[in-house]
Structure formats: structure tokens, C-alpha cells
Amino acid sequence: MPIYEYHCEPCAHTFETLIRSSSDVARCPKCGGVEVAKQFSVPAAAQTGAAGSSLPMAAPSGGCGRPQCGSGGCGVG
């Protein structure tokens, strides 16, 4: 069951919620509103394999690892 990220328009609260079926409606946990917009977010993936495997690791900041990229936005270009 997917977890989606939403932004509530009336109260500007961003939250995640579990959507079980197409009939489920996302509701803001802060104000109870249903005027929410689905946000683009990076899906989480489980890392499998033994420690020290050759799977690439993401940079701690979420970007490419360069200092100018900050928290996910790449500053190269």
C-alpha cells in the first residue's frame, strides 16, 4: 500500500498518508481539510545485501554530494 505526500492548501501543512484504495480520500491531520495536493516525492527503497556490498549509497544531503547542492537541488549547471 503506497504512502503519498500531500500539501494542505488551507493550512499549508505537509504530511504523508497511507492510501489503501482509490476510494480513500486524503485528509489533513492538522485541520481535517480535504483540499490537498499530492506532492512529488522520491520513493523509498529497501537496501538489500550484506554490509559492504557494491550498492551505491545516496549522499547524506540527498543531492549528488557536492557542497553547492545543499538538500537535494543540484547546483551544477
Side-chain angles (χ1 to χ4, degrees):
M1 289 176 253
I3 296 176
Y4 294 106
E5 187 174 347
Y6 290 91
H7 179 79
C8 180
E9 300 298 330
C11 74
H13 181 66
T14 300
F15 63 97
E16 293 179 341
T17 190
L18 176 68
I19 300 296
R20 293 187 173 107
S21 70
S22 60
S23 63
D24 280 351
V25 176
R27 186 174 300 274
C28 177
K30 186 174 179 183
C31 73
V34 293
E35 294 178 40
V36 297
K38 190 184 290 187
Q39 302 293 295
F40 288 107
S41 57
V42 179
Q47 181 178 357
T48 59
S53 69
S54 61
L55 294 174
M57 297 298 290
S61 67
C64 67
R66 294 181 177 182
Q68 65 269 31
C69 290
S71 62
C74 192
V76 177

